[in-house]
Amino acid sequence: MDFSTTTTTITSTAANGYSSPRDSSIPSSFTKFNSALTAGLLNPMSPPPPPPPATLDKSSRASPTLFEMMSSESGSPVQIQNLVLPSSSSRTTSGSHLVISAQDKQALAMQRISNLLVTRSPGNQFNDPASSDVKLTLSSKDGISVTMCVHRQILVAHSRFFAVKLSDRWSKQQMAPPPSSSPYIVEISDCDDVEVYIETLMLMYCRDLRKKMMRQDVSRVLGILKVSAAIGFDAGVLSCLEYLEAAPWSEDEECRIASLLSELHLENVGATEVLRRVSVEASHNGSSNDEVLLNLLHIVLEGKDEKARRDMKTLVSKMLRENSSGNDLRKESLYLACDGCLHKLKRQFLQAAESDLENVDQIARQADNLHWILDILIDRQIAEDFLVMWASLSELSDVHGKVPVVHRFEISRVTARIFVGIGKGQILTPKEVRCLLLRNWLTPFYDDFAWMKRASKGLDRYLVEDGLSNTILTLPLAWQQEFFLAWFDRFLNSNEDCPNIQRGFEVWWRRAFWRRKEQSQESPRLRIISSGTDNS
């Protein structure tokens, strides 16, 4: 008896798969393959096995080859074309790395697909030739082709794509004489990943999609989501989005998830809920970035545990530095936090100058906070106002000597950081402000320098000395002379307890005397010539 067969060719693009599914049932081929790896058959770091004796035949080998292990699998109703198993000649090593050819990769993919199709739970009719009425062939661009047995009713009920493609042709086939009893043949070509496509079809046969999804990882779910969206498998799309909303992501996966959801335009079916984890717009957060960051600053500034405060200062500085170009923290917010610290510092410092040492530890704490904020301001190139404010604190510099040095030297660390910023060109202010800074804070800085060297961890003495030299050298030559001569006298009487700015002193000396003499000798030769141009 002849059977008529109808063939339909459908072109579709499926999603890429990235890793094999995690299934509780492990096929025997996987166990054997793993044993081969453990035995060193595929491990380039293991020594090669000794060559077999010339008289050793196939039947006397201690263990089968990988080809034999994969070939000895029990048959199944799966038809797999273009299956090429790995050969020993296609595996080469380069140093300590195993190089797997494209042919071997294809063979391993076919083996995973075979294991996937033969592994079914009791009662599951997927790939059941006895009850199926459709033979579905999936082909990929890289030559993999797989045929499986599926059910038209299930495909049409779960997929809008199959509902459109199968309904009309199926009706025509059933009405055509003589009645057809052969399976309806469907071909889908150009799949990106046949393995992921098969897993998506298997979900149509699954009653508990949530439980099935829990066995997958993020990469595999992204592949299933792409296929589900392409074929209109709404239940699969919703299950994938539900998984992605609840599962943890790595940072690499986060970028891929956001990119795929943006590409698929699934906002109306739950993608917005997923993106709320990474998108400010999607989360409808009423607080601005500026408010959040300012709150973080205040929490760090008011923290009780000193070690935790240091760690969090490092963390917040790193985050702000990575996004220093973004408009995420306004200048006014930083200076608002700065004003709070400065107000507390002034109050405690003036109390300590009156011999009230009850909360004297707040001097070092607030000075450290100001030092941290100054670093942030310099990174963002907005520290000029801080310099003006600090240079004007004559009320503190005047009583500086009345506070014990053990409590006050942290203030001079702020001054030192300003010197470094000016010396590197990171803070640009008028010469009057720079001169005021030196007049008010240079002597207190000298007085505390010895303590800073001994008690301040991470202080780069040479960087500070170079910054101070350059700060003085930015002033007019006559002002430079005042500060360098004062340093010269102090250095001769204290030596190690005074910063060594000899390099700057030498530069000033050459400017003030050698070049002045050269200029006086050359001045008679200078003439100013006025000339007119006749344009007529």
Side-chain angles (χ1 to χ4, degrees):
M1 182 176 180
D2 296 331
F3 297 94
S4 60
T5 303
T6 302
T7 303
T8 301
T9 302
I10 304 174
T11 302
S12 175
T13 301
N16 286 317
Y18 301 97
S19 61
S20 59
R22 296 184 297 221
D23 204 317
S24 58
S25 58
I26 301 177
S28 59
S29 62
F30 180 83
T31 303
K32 295 178 180 178
F33 185 73
N34 189 52
S35 300
L37 291 174
T38 305
L41 298 179
L42 296 180
N43 189 350
M45 300 302 294
S46 302
T55 59
L56 185 63
D57 57 10
K58 178 180 178 181
S59 60
S60 62
R61 284 199 299 264
S63 61
T65 65
L66 178 62
F67 179 88
E68 293 170 337
M69 287 191 293
M70 298 172 68
S71 301
S72 63
E73 289 299 313
S74 59
S76 67
V78 185
Q79 301 176 22
I80 303 180
Q81 292 84 26
N82 301 332
L83 174 57
V84 181
L85 295 176
S87 60
S88 59
S89 60
S90 65
R91 292 190 299 271
T92 59
T93 57
S94 174
S96 61
H97 300 283
L98 179 66
V99 180
I100 302 178
S101 67
Q103 191 178 30
D104 286 349
K105 291 180 180 178
Q106 185 184 47
L108 293 174
M110 296 300 295
Q111 182 64 27
R112 292 196 305 270
I113 292 173
S114 176
N115 295 336
L116 184 65
L117 291 173
V118 299
T119 304
R120 300 196 308 271
S121 59
N124 193 322
Q125 293 184 324
F126 179 76
N127 200 36
D128 181 13
S131 61
S132 66
D133 49 12
V134 175
K135 279 191 175 293
L136 176 61
T137 300
L138 303 175
S139 302
S140 66
K141 299 176 182 178
D142 55 3
I144 295 178
S145 181
V146 179
T147 300
M148 67 202 74
C149 300
V150 291
H151 302 75
R152 171 190 171 275
Q153 182 179 0
I154 292 179
L155 296 182
V156 171
H158 290 86
S159 166
R160 294 191 303 276
F161 171 79
F162 284 109
V164 172
K165 296 297 182 181
L166 297 181
S167 296
D168 294 340
R169 294 179 180 271
W170 185 273
S171 300
K172 293 178 181 179
Q173 177 182 344
Q174 297 302 314
M175 294 173 61
S180 174
S181 59
S182 62
Y184 188 72
I185 299 176
V186 178
E187 296 180 3
I188 299 179
S189 59
D190 293 336
C191 297
D192 285 348
D193 194 310
V194 171
E195 186 178 351
V196 175
Y197 210 114
I198 294 173
E199 287 191 314
T200 306
L201 295 176
M202 292 178 69
L203 289 176
M204 297 182 183
Y205 288 78
C206 182
R207 295 182 178 179
D208 191 346
L209 292 182
R210 180 196 295 267
K211 184 176 180 180
K212 187 70 175 178
M213 282 293 178
M214 291 179 65
R215 300 179 181 180
Q216 310 293 347
D217 56 23
V218 171
S219 295
R220 182 64 72 181
V221 169
L222 288 177
I224 295 174
L225 174 61
K226 189 172 182 180
V227 175
S228 298
I231 64 177
F233 178 26
D234 294 337
V237 170
L238 292 175
S239 296
C240 290
L241 292 177
E242 184 180 83
Y243 172 93
L244 294 174
E245 194 279 329
W249 309 339
S250 67
E251 291 193 32
D252 290 339
E253 291 169 343
E254 174 182 316
C255 297
R256 290 166 52 196
I257 290 170
S259 176
L260 180 60
L261 293 183
S262 175
E263 174 188 339
L264 297 180
H265 302 289
L266 300 175
E267 293 80 7
N268 295 330
V269 293
T272 303
E273 292 296 324
V274 178
L275 291 176
R276 283 185 178 181
R277 289 166 58 168
V278 295
S279 172
V280 176
E281 291 78 11
S283 65
H284 303 291
N285 189 356
S287 300
S288 65
N289 287 353
D290 182 79
E291 293 176 352
V292 174
L293 290 171
L294 183 58
N295 188 39
L296 283 178
L297 287 177
H298 282 297
I299 292 174
V300 173
L301 295 174
E302 300 296 333
K304 303 299 182 183
D305 187 280
E306 287 301 320
K307 182 180 183 303
R309 271 174 22 95
R310 289 194 300 270
D311 293 342
M312 290 303 100
K313 282 181 178 179
T314 302
L315 175 62
V316 173
S317 296
K318 176 178 177 292
M319 293 190 301
L320 293 176
R321 191 176 298 112
E322 289 174 350
N323 193 26
S324 59
S325 60
N327 188 22
D328 52 4
L329 187 57
R330 296 181 297 116
K331 174 181 177 180
E332 293 77 10
S333 298
L334 283 169
Y335 275 98
L336 182 62
C338 181
D339 289 340
C341 296
L342 185 59
H343 177 74
K344 295 177 182 178
L345 173 65
K346 290 169 62 176
R347 183 176 68 249
Q348 297 301 331
F349 199 84
L350 293 176
Q351 288 180 4
E354 297 293 334
S355 301
D356 182 0
L357 304 179
E358 182 178 357
N359 295 315
V360 71
D361 58 316
Q362 286 295 316
I363 297 176
R365 179 186 177 91
Q366 299 307 325
D368 183 67
N369 286 340
L370 288 171
H371 190 284
W372 179 53
I373 295 177
L374 176 58
D375 278 334
I376 298 174
L377 294 173
I378 291 176
D379 283 340
R380 293 176 170 251
Q381 300 178 342
I382 53 174
E384 288 75 16
D385 291 344
F386 185 97
L387 174 52
V388 174
M389 176 183 63
W390 191 258
S392 304
L393 292 176
S394 57
E395 57 182 326
L396 296 188
S397 62
D398 290 342
V399 298
H400 178 269
K402 298 180 180 180
V403 179
V405 64
V406 66
H407 301 305
R408 75 183 188 218
F409 75 92
E410 289 287 349
I411 286 184
S412 292
R413 287 187 62 240
V414 179
T415 305
R417 182 64 183 95
I418 293 176
F419 288 154
V420 173
I422 296 174
K424 289 186 174 182
Q426 298 170 332
I427 309 176
L428 303 178
T429 56
K431 60 181 181 297
E432 290 80 12
V433 177
R434 302 194 301 274
C435 183
L436 182 62
L437 172 73
L438 292 170
R439 292 189 187 282
N440 283 335
W441 287 109
L442 187 54
T443 299
F445 174 79
Y446 287 156
D447 293 340
D448 295 343
F449 187 75
W451 264 88
M452 280 194 297
K453 288 194 306 178
R454 300 183 181 94
S456 296
K457 295 181 179 179
L459 179 70
D460 189 335
R461 168 181 178 174
Y462 302 104
L463 182 65
V464 173
E465 291 173 342
D466 194 58
L468 175 57
S469 293
N470 289 335
T471 298
I472 299 175
L473 291 173
T474 63
L475 300 176
L477 197 60
W479 297 0
Q480 294 178 33
Q481 176 175 319
E482 173 189 346
F483 293 111
F484 277 121
L485 290 181
W487 165 81
F488 190 79
D489 178 69
R490 187 178 186 106
F491 185 77
L492 288 175
N493 292 283
S494 56
N495 194 6
E496 289 300 322
D497 289 339
C498 181
N500 188 343
I501 55 174
Q502 179 178 342
R503 184 197 65 82
F505 182 85
E506 292 176 356
V507 173
W508 163 75
W509 178 268
R510 288 192 293 270
R511 288 176 178 176
F513 296 98
W514 293 2
R515 294 180 185 176
R516 181 186 301 176
K517 183 177 180 180
E518 293 174 359
Q519 292 173 358
S520 62
Q521 292 175 352
E522 295 177 359
S523 57
R525 302 179 184 178
L526 297 178
R527 291 187 302 167
I528 299 176
I529 301 176
S530 177
S531 62
T533 302
D534 188 1
N535 296 326
S536 60

